[in-house]
Amino acid sequence: MPILHQYHDRLGWYVRTVIDKAIITFQLTSVGARRLLEAGGKNGTRFRRALLFELYRSGDAYTHGTGPGVIEPYKKGQLEIDFSNDPEPETIFPRCSSCGSLNDLHFVEIAKEKRHYAGLYCSECRKKSGDLIDTSIPLPVITRGILARVLELKGISELDTSAVAYKESLDSAFNEKWDELLKKKRQTKHPTQGVLTGAEEKQRTLT
């Protein structure tokens, strides 16, 4: 599970987690840190990977290859305990289509020979493929609506595996929020009447 940490040498907070057997550091914006703290987080708190992904998707948790500052060293055996199994898989996070990095991802439009498609590229792979890239948008800026509009305006009909996975995550998040809204609406329209006891339920069935 991701772990919330406070900087030892300056103000601020960051998160560490394990992805692909490597420790990844996510910096937090003031908004991201505040959200975790308001949810009861404190130095050393573990939380679900899905919450970190929500912060990542909103741009409030990010990684640009910068170090986290001075970190208190792990005690012997602590690493395994801190990064115990999480309900959400590591694959929840988007990866660079080319190298698999999570660093500073952009949604990019690529025109390569006769192939026209979209993918997710990290900063290094964008530099290497600069002459092939037309549109490049920071991933936290991409919403479900923006993505649909870009695909339509640019005439992009093909998405690579990484882009497809991210689009599906946006669709899933939208559907979850929509279902939650509909559920609240139904509860408001038809408030809970209480739970019948066994005798009451039997009597109602009989009548």
Side-chain angles (χ1 to χ4, degrees):
M1 287 184 172
I3 307 173
L4 178 64
H5 291 283
Q6 188 171 19
Y7 285 112
H8 182 64
D9 59 341
R10 64 180 186 272
L11 295 175
W13 298 78
Y14 63 95
V15 172
R16 301 186 89 193
T17 190
V18 169
I19 298 178
D20 294 335
K21 298 182 180 180
I23 300 177
I24 306 295
T25 300
F26 287 86
Q27 282 75 44
L28 295 173
T29 64
S30 58
V31 173
R34 185 172 68 248
R35 288 179 64 184
L36 289 175
L37 294 174
E38 289 177 348
K42 58 184 179 180
N43 193 32
T45 298
R46 288 176 287 179
F47 58 95
R48 290 181 61 172
R49 193 176 284 127
L51 181 53
L52 177 59
F53 179 58
E54 286 299 318
L55 295 176
Y56 175 85
R57 190 161 50 192
S58 69
D60 291 311
Y62 59 94
T63 173
H64 290 307
T66 56
V70 178
I71 305 173
E72 294 292 341
Y74 280 104
K75 297 178 182 178
K76 184 177 180 180
Q78 185 179 4
L79 184 63
E80 182 179 353
I81 296 174
D82 281 352
F83 297 108
S84 56
N85 291 335
D86 194 288
E88 287 78 26
E90 297 176 3
T91 53
I92 191 174
F93 289 98
R95 315 294 180 94
C96 174
S97 302
S98 180
C99 71
S101 171
L102 287 80
N103 187 34
D104 190 22
L105 296 178
H106 280 214
F107 177 86
V108 298
E109 173 193 10
I110 299 181
K112 187 176 182 180
E113 297 177 350
K114 295 182 179 181
R115 189 182 176 195
H116 180 215
Y117 66 100
L120 307 182
Y121 274 30
C122 68
S123 55
E124 289 301 316
C125 289
R126 292 198 303 275
K127 292 177 183 177
K128 296 177 182 178
S129 305
D131 56 335
L132 302 175
I133 295 175
D134 187 358
T135 303
S136 179
I137 307 173
L139 205 56
V141 176
I142 295 290
T143 63
R144 186 170 178 268
I146 290 176
L147 177 57
R149 186 62 174 158
V150 170
L151 295 178
E152 180 184 1
L153 287 175
K154 304 297 290 186
I156 303 172
S157 58
E158 181 184 353
L159 303 178
D160 68 17
T161 303
S162 293
V164 168
Y166 195 69
K167 181 180 183 300
E168 289 177 348
S169 73
L170 293 177
D171 291 339
S172 177
F174 173 81
N175 291 332
E176 288 176 4
K177 291 180 180 179
W178 184 253
D179 290 343
E180 183 179 351
L181 179 62
L182 291 178
K183 182 178 179 180
K184 289 181 179 179
K185 187 176 181 180
R186 286 194 297 267
Q187 289 175 344
T188 302
K189 189 174 182 179
H190 303 289
T192 303
Q193 298 299 319
V195 179
L196 292 173
T197 64
E200 290 172 329
E201 186 176 1
K202 182 177 181 181
Q203 181 64 30
R204 176 169 294 185
T205 302
L206 292 175
T207 57

